[in-house]
Amino acid sequence: MIAAILAFLSVIALDEGGRPTHADDTIPQIAEGLEVICINGLCGYRDLKGKVVIRPQFEDARVFSSGLAAVKTGGKWGYIDKAGRFVIKPQFEDYGWFHEGLAPVQLHGLRGYIDKTGKLVIPPQFTLARPFSEGLAAVEIDGKWGYVDKAGNMVIKPQFRFATEFSKGRAQVRLEDRGAAIDKTGKVIQLFEKRKH
């Protein structure tokens, strides 16, 4: 529980003296033993003892997931390892975290998925894309959400107004007039009450 709470703390921006200058509570700060720090507009990482292990050098940086972290340089996102070396060169317009070996990224305004070598496993074709969970990922096409498998096959056709990751075999989606839970075939297994206006 503590690790989960720490993972969603804010990125700390520091001045030249190492003092916090501001915080953004919407961005995770700590994961896999490293904390994002930003000093004078450049971001790097320090360990939980406060030792800087990857010097601030990036325009932006995100926490590690599956041993890699998305960082921005030259206006593009790439991925580094815990030694600060680029494993996947900066080339993407937007990033996603790695889950189940794949991460959603954006190229030419559309999103697809890369593996941990940077290879495009699922070509960019989606407006929005969420991380994989339980072998499926929620993706948006033309304003509707559906689910793809790791081969890029659309296994649950785009039909929902909103969709979340799967957990314990079910995901929450938004139908036209109410929320629902679906199973991994796309079948509605629970309808939630309509919102009162």
Side-chain angles (χ1 to χ4, degrees):
M1 177 61 82
I2 293 174
I5 293 170
L6 289 176
F8 288 93
L9 293 177
S10 62
V11 169
I12 296 176
L14 306 174
D15 63 17
E16 289 179 289
R19 296 172 295 274
T21 58
H22 71 278
D24 179 348
D25 292 334
T26 64
I27 301 173
Q29 172 192 4
I30 301 172
E32 298 187 10
L34 293 178
E35 176 183 28
V36 177
I37 57 168
C38 297
I39 301 173
N40 297 327
L42 293 176
C43 298
Y45 298 84
R46 66 182 175 192
D47 64 23
L48 299 183
K49 294 180 179 178
K51 178 185 176 184
V52 174
V53 293
I54 301 173
R55 67 177 176 81
Q57 59 192 289
F58 309 111
E59 296 165 15
D60 207 345
R62 296 293 180 261
V63 295
F64 279 84
S65 70
S66 302
L68 298 179
V71 296
K72 188 177 186 180
T73 185
K76 299 289 184 182
W77 290 91
Y79 292 82
I80 59 170
D81 62 18
K82 289 186 177 179
R85 296 182 297 251
F86 273 103
V87 175
I88 302 170
K89 68 177 183 175
Q91 59 192 292
F92 305 110
E93 297 156 7
D94 204 357
Y95 71 95
W97 281 280
F98 277 94
H99 287 277
E100 299 185 5
L102 299 178
V105 294
Q106 181 175 308
L107 272 174
H108 311 297
L110 294 173
R111 294 171 195 262
Y113 292 84
I114 58 171
D115 65 17
K116 291 178 75 174
T117 70
K119 177 185 176 185
L120 273 169
V121 177
I122 302 174
Q125 57 194 290
F126 312 114
T127 311
L128 293 171
R130 300 194 184 287
F132 273 87
S133 61
E134 299 186 4
L136 298 177
V139 294
E140 184 190 48
I141 298 178
D142 297 326
K144 297 288 185 182
W145 287 85
Y147 290 84
V148 293
D149 64 17
K150 290 185 178 181
N153 301 310
M154 189 68 69
V155 295
I156 301 174
K157 70 176 184 176
Q159 58 192 289
F160 309 113
R161 293 176 60 188
F162 183 77
T164 65
E165 289 87 354
F166 273 93
S167 176
K168 298 180 180 177
R170 53 188 281 157
Q172 291 193 18
V173 297
R174 181 80 185 157
L175 305 175
E176 287 303 319
D177 61 348
R178 67 175 69 187
I182 60 170
D183 66 16
K184 292 175 78 172
T185 69
K187 178 183 176 183
V188 173
I189 55 176
Q190 183 179 1
L191 280 173
F192 303 125
E193 288 187 24
K194 292 183 182 180
R195 288 182 182 171
K196 295 179 180 178
H197 297 286

